[in-house]
Amino acid sequence: MQPRPQNHYPRKYLLNVRQPEEWVEYHIPGATLIPLDQLENRLSEVPQGKEVVVVCRSGNRSQVGRDILLNADFEQVTSMSGGMNQWMSAGHEWVTG
């Protein structure tokens, strides 16, 4: 039996705003993919009342995603500084597929 992936943000909704081909290469276990260019049309898929952590490769797109959510009246939204680059450099778990 393989160990279950650890969610470093168990009470938060991890929103990955990268493109599908980037997601397949690597992503955080438990994250949800909604590409940045689709986010405004898919806001109903993001839970209200739960803290949202937006992540991308380096932190630039996640800041835009955070702003989209804040402008749509989401109150608890954070952009992950450094994105997946920082996540992986810190040795946190990631998966492919």
Side-chain angles (χ1 to χ4, degrees):
M1 177 187 269
Q2 291 187 354
R4 189 177 160 138
Q6 180 179 356
N7 183 348
H8 293 271
Y9 296 95
R11 293 189 174 99
K12 300 176 184 182
Y13 181 81
L14 297 175
L15 175 61
N16 190 312
V17 294
R18 298 180 305 147
Q19 291 300 308
E21 56 273 12
E22 293 175 286
W23 169 270
V24 171
E25 289 180 34
Y26 53 85
H27 59 274
I28 298 171
T32 299
L33 175 67
I34 301 177
L36 182 61
D37 61 355
Q38 298 175 19
L39 183 56
E40 288 184 285
N41 294 323
R42 296 176 61 184
L43 290 173
S44 64
E45 297 175 40
V46 180
Q48 290 276 1
K50 189 170 188 178
E51 186 173 350
V52 179
V53 178
V54 186
V55 62
C56 65
R57 182 180 51 82
S58 64
N60 294 324
R61 287 176 285 179
S62 64
Q63 291 177 18
V64 175
R66 175 202 59 207
D67 292 346
I68 289 170
L69 293 172
L70 289 172
N71 289 333
D73 296 326
F74 285 80
E75 295 179 2
Q76 302 178 64
V77 185
T78 303
S79 170
M80 183 184 290
S81 178
M84 287 298 302
N85 290 342
Q86 179 64 34
W87 179 267
M88 294 168 67
S89 292
H92 295 302
E93 184 175 11
W94 53 276
V95 295
T96 61

